Amino acid sequence: MTTPFPFTAVVGQDDLRLALLLNAVSPAVGGVLVRGEKGTAKSTAVRALSALMPELDVVSGCRFSCDPGSPDPACPDGPHEPGAFETRPARMVELPVGASEDRLVGALDIERALAEGVKAFEPGLLADAHRGILYVDEVNLLHDHLVDLLLDAAAMGASYVEREGVSVRHASKFLLVGTMNPEEGELRPQLLDRFGLTVEVAASREPDQRVEVVRRRLAYDDDPAGFAARWAGEEAAVRQRIVAARELLPRVRLGDGALRQIAATCAAFEVDGMRADIVMARTATALAAWAGRTDVLAEDVRQAALLALPHRRRRNPFDAPGLDEDRLDETLEQFSGEGDDGGDGGDDDPGPDGPDGPGGGGGPAPDSAPDGDGGSAARPEAGEGGQPQGSGSREQAPTRAAQPFRTRVLSVPGVGEGAAGRRSRARTEHGRTTGARRPRGALTKLHLAATVLAAAPHQRARGRSGPGLVVRRDDLRQAAREGREGNLVLFVVDASGSMAARQRMGAVKGAVLSLLLDAYQRRDKVGLVTFRGASAEVALPPTSSVDAAAARLESLPTGGRTPLAAGLLRAHEVLRVERLRDPARRALVVVVTDGRATGGPEPVALAGRAARLFAADGVASVVVDCEAGPVRLGLAGRLAGELGGTAVTLQELRADSITGLVREVQGDRRAA
């Protein structure tokens, strides 16, 4: 068995360690979401936490980890006789991003259930994680149907497995810990709200601290067991402190003054619902217990707010999580001294600090924003104008995007088999039933009528004598279902001098930003290719991070010639590479240009030849015509014809224009 890296040997990351330890003290806090860049010890710290969790008493032989003091009366392995139990470490169960539904919730033997009436159930990861830790690395990449199952289990504290009327239920209460890199995409709001706390982590910029990180990692890699032994004393001390804090927790008093500060803080930052108030109260109580106190102070409320509120106050997908600490301090000061606990934070104990008590000072370094609105480089403003400062001297400064608007659904024709999403039609494991087929591998979705029809002609030959149906493996039929898939929306944006007029570029960016918002909601991948001057570049390779695409769009400079052919060829190459990586994901190309092509010999003819490559591959496309002025050359319309798509003018971009056009494109293609 691999020796885990010691929790107390993690350098820095005080907020991360504090958030994890608070959940170890009080699992009711609701788990931790760790957001940060690559290589910041996110997974290392989470895996190390399991060694600090107190051991559990479980019913002997129970696959569902029932507590012998209060066993689950509906446990599939029950009823349990009192007395027999065993003690074991708390489990940390890892949920792979690509796990199947049966691996998560468990598998039910449908063949035995139909033929023998026996509930033969093989527990899944939700059963293994009961009373332990469920860890999801890259949780933002988890498929939607697994997210739905996690939400149900987290909300009800139980997992249900149902197959054609045969149902199994078992308890599933776990500490949910997820890690993610925001550059790879954001979480669905429903799952985001289920995490009690969130922490932003980043690599230290201090050379001495970075040296210590490398020194400890190399020492661990050379001798994991010896390295862990050197930290055994610190690990034991933290483990004992967790046990002591758990014992103290029921005696911690959350006074009216602290409650008013919690309520006032949640109201001041306009968080949705009441879950934030409850999580803050539980977190502040756990902080007091961790510090060895029986009273909740204002400093506990402040730290609880920094951990529990940032991810709950995103007003739209492009708002960065964060909290205005000055406003937080003003709110706490305004409501200090009310109630029976003072709440002035003047206790002599400054709170935990360091590996034996991480935290005690601030949360993630947020971007402050006035009036409680999260700041973001990609946040759009109303109107067309406003150029940010600091642009290069040889190119025109980036223009702010116009106010985004709601779009209708863009879809790719036909029925695909791509990753689960919410855009185009696809054959999926979830959705409406459209037919039946023989199962490939394990049966997951039984088509009952087709199974009965397959078995019925053979009943006499199989010697059926009773009321039950004699079912064989060959009779089973899998339900064929149709749902929705996510696509790759590739934007090809003309950033040349002919597009540099502030009003036009602001409107264009507003339209693209609107489609990015739609892509976020529909779980698409997005990419951005720009062309200007003498070449084209991939401003953003295909990614699930719509936030990153919006940021690149906002900072897009303009100026120079119009190498249209180079832009199209670069986009075609992006699609070629992406097909190799993800052949099932279909693409929609949106070209934003006035259709002009300059530079090199025969630039217009060269652009036409490049466009015909997309038509030959059958790629769905739309051209946004940005040509302005009383005299119109119609170049964008010709480009759309070469692409096999349709053009729409810049004035038609508002509201339903683009999506209505794409539906026309699909209709024309079906008619052809």
Side-chain angles (χ1 to χ4, degrees):
M1 181 177 178
T2 303
T3 303
F5 192 92
F7 186 85
T8 51
V10 175
V11 179
Q13 308 297 10
D14 288 348
D15 291 326
L16 169 58
R17 291 183 294 154
L18 176 61
L20 293 172
L21 288 171
L22 291 177
N23 276 273
V25 171
S26 176
V29 167
V32 186
L33 174 65
V34 187
R35 298 165 48 93
E37 58 195 24
K38 304 177 290 293
T40 49
K42 301 188 298 293
S43 300
T44 298
V46 173
R47 293 189 175 101
L49 176 67
S50 61
L52 301 179
M53 298 289 286
E55 293 187 331
L56 300 175
D57 292 334
V58 298
V59 174
S60 298
C62 178
R63 298 175 297 168
F64 302 88
S65 304
C66 279
D67 185 349
S70 56
D72 180 9
C75 177
D77 285 353
H80 298 300
E81 297 295 331
F85 71 93
E86 59 188 49
T87 301
R88 63 163 176 78
R91 292 173 179 161
M92 192 192 74
V93 178
E94 294 196 38
L95 171 60
V97 169
S100 65
E101 179 180 337
D102 283 350
R103 184 72 186 97
L104 178 61
V105 300
L108 191 63
D109 192 330
I110 298 297
E111 185 176 0
R112 292 188 63 189
L114 290 177
E116 305 173 28
V118 175
K119 293 183 180 180
F121 180 67
E122 182 66 28
L125 296 178
L126 289 179
D128 293 341
H130 180 46
R131 303 177 66 201
I133 303 171
L134 181 62
Y135 172 48
V136 189
D137 192 15
E138 307 293 352
V139 64
N140 51 324
L141 304 182
L142 202 62
H143 288 175
D144 277 358
H145 69 284
L146 297 182
V147 170
D148 293 337
L149 294 171
L150 274 182
L151 288 173
D152 290 342
M156 298 184 292
S159 175
Y160 291 84
V161 183
E162 298 188 6
R163 296 287 188 272
E164 302 298 333
V166 181
S167 177
V168 174
R169 173 222 172 265
H170 64 82
S172 183
K173 297 180 180 179
F174 47 82
L175 171 59
L176 181 61
V177 181
T179 56
M180 60 175 282
N181 183 349
E183 293 180 357
E184 297 173 342
E186 284 292 343
L187 277 178
R188 283 173 53 183
Q190 296 92 333
L191 182 57
L192 188 65
D193 190 51
R194 283 292 172 187
F195 286 97
L197 310 179
T198 187
V199 177
E200 295 276 344
V201 297
S204 173
R205 299 297 182 255
E206 294 294 330
D208 291 343
Q209 195 171 71
R210 295 175 74 96
V211 167
E212 186 61 23
V213 170
V214 175
R215 182 180 290 119
R216 293 186 186 183
R217 186 69 211 191
L218 292 178
Y220 170 78
D221 291 341
D222 289 341
D223 183 10
F227 184 82
R230 291 196 293 274
W231 289 88
E234 288 83 351
E235 293 282 288
V238 174
R239 191 179 300 110
Q240 292 171 5
R241 188 171 177 182
I242 292 173
V243 173
R246 282 190 171 190
E247 294 175 351
L248 181 63
L249 186 65
R251 304 199 300 274
V252 174
R253 187 171 66 97
L254 183 64
D256 289 343
L259 275 174
R260 286 183 61 82
Q261 285 184 316
I262 290 170
T265 300
C266 293
F269 286 100
E270 299 179 350
V271 296
D272 295 331
M274 294 298 298
R275 183 173 285 118
D277 303 64
I278 296 171
V279 171
M280 273 192 65
R282 290 171 174 166
T283 304
T285 303
L287 280 162
W290 179 247
R293 290 185 267 102
T294 56
D295 287 307
V296 174
L297 304 179
E299 66 192 55
D300 301 321
V301 176
R302 186 182 192 279
Q303 183 68 62
L306 292 171
L307 293 172
L309 295 188
H311 63 301
R312 290 189 164 88
R313 53 178 310 278
R314 285 170 60 109
R315 309 316 299 175
N316 70 61
F318 301 151
D319 284 344
L323 216 59
D324 185 340
E325 294 193 40
D326 291 337
R327 186 174 184 184
L328 172 61
D329 291 336
E330 291 174 4
T331 302
L332 294 177
E333 179 65 26
Q334 180 181 352
F335 287 86
S336 66
E338 300 187 17
D340 57 3
D341 61 355
D344 58 1
D347 191 85
D348 292 336
D349 184 357
D353 191 22
D356 290 336
D367 294 326
S368 298
D371 300 326
D373 290 336
S376 172
R379 183 178 178 85
E381 294 183 355
E384 309 284 353
Q387 292 189 8
Q389 298 179 356
S391 63
S393 59
R394 295 186 178 182
E395 58 190 23
Q396 300 188 32
T399 303
R400 285 292 185 92
Q403 185 70 25
F405 48 84
R406 187 175 182 84
T407 66
R408 295 189 311 185
V409 180
L410 295 165
S411 61
V412 177
V415 180
E417 293 183 342
R422 299 178 180 178
R423 183 171 297 279
S424 304
R425 296 171 56 203
R427 288 178 285 274
T428 63
E429 289 294 319
H430 302 270
R432 63 185 182 89
T433 300
T434 58
R437 58 176 173 81
R438 291 182 180 274
R440 306 185 193 102
L443 178 71
T444 56
K445 299 291 183 181
L446 178 73
H447 194 295
L448 183 58
T451 299
V452 171
L453 286 173
H458 308 290
Q459 296 305 296
R460 180 176 297 178
R462 293 173 183 173
R464 173 184 170 185
S465 59
L469 191 67
V470 181
V471 179
R472 302 278 174 83
R473 175 69 184 174
D474 290 343
D475 301 328
L476 299 179
R477 296 293 183 270
Q478 176 88 17
R481 302 195 173 195
E482 183 177 298
R484 293 281 170 179
E485 67 176 1
N487 299 118
L488 167 61
V489 182
L490 182 62
F491 295 95
V492 185
V493 180
D494 183 350
S496 65
S498 63
M499 293 283 291
R502 182 187 302 175
Q503 182 174 358
R504 279 201 290 161
M505 204 61 199
V508 167
K509 286 186 176 182
V512 177
L513 191 63
S514 302
L515 292 174
L516 286 173
L517 280 165
D518 186 65
Y520 168 82
Q521 296 166 350
R522 301 189 185 282
R523 312 294 288 178
D524 291 315
K525 293 181 73 173
V526 295
L528 178 62
V529 173
T530 64
F531 55 96
R532 57 184 292 273
S535 63
E537 67 172 346
V538 181
L540 184 71
T543 176
S544 296
S545 177
V546 177
D547 287 23
R552 301 290 174 87
L553 176 72
E554 188 73 14
S555 61
L556 179 66
T558 56
R561 293 178 177 271
T562 311
L564 177 57
L568 294 174
L569 290 174
R570 181 59 62 91
H572 188 267
E573 176 64 14
V574 168
L575 292 184
R576 186 190 68 80
V577 173
E578 191 64 18
R579 285 193 202 99
L580 297 176
R581 294 174 177 170
D582 191 356
R585 189 181 292 270
R586 298 182 294 163
L588 172 67
V589 176
V590 179
V591 184
V592 184
T593 181
D594 56 10
R596 297 175 185 270
T598 58
E602 300 184 348
V604 176
L606 185 59
R609 289 197 294 271
R612 287 192 288 274
L613 295 175
F614 292 87
D617 291 341
V619 178
S621 61
V622 57
V623 177
V624 178
D625 183 0
C626 302
E627 189 176 23
V631 178
R632 304 180 63 86
L633 303 178
L635 297 176
R638 296 181 202 171
L639 175 64
E642 300 282 6
L643 286 166
T646 308
V648 60
T649 65
L650 187 62
Q651 291 76 16
E652 296 170 334
L653 291 177
R654 306 293 302 178
D656 298 335
S657 299
I658 290 183
T659 48
L661 170 65
V662 173
R663 289 188 174 184
E664 283 183 28
V665 172
Q666 312 314 333
D668 293 344
R669 183 164 293 174
R670 292 189 188 99

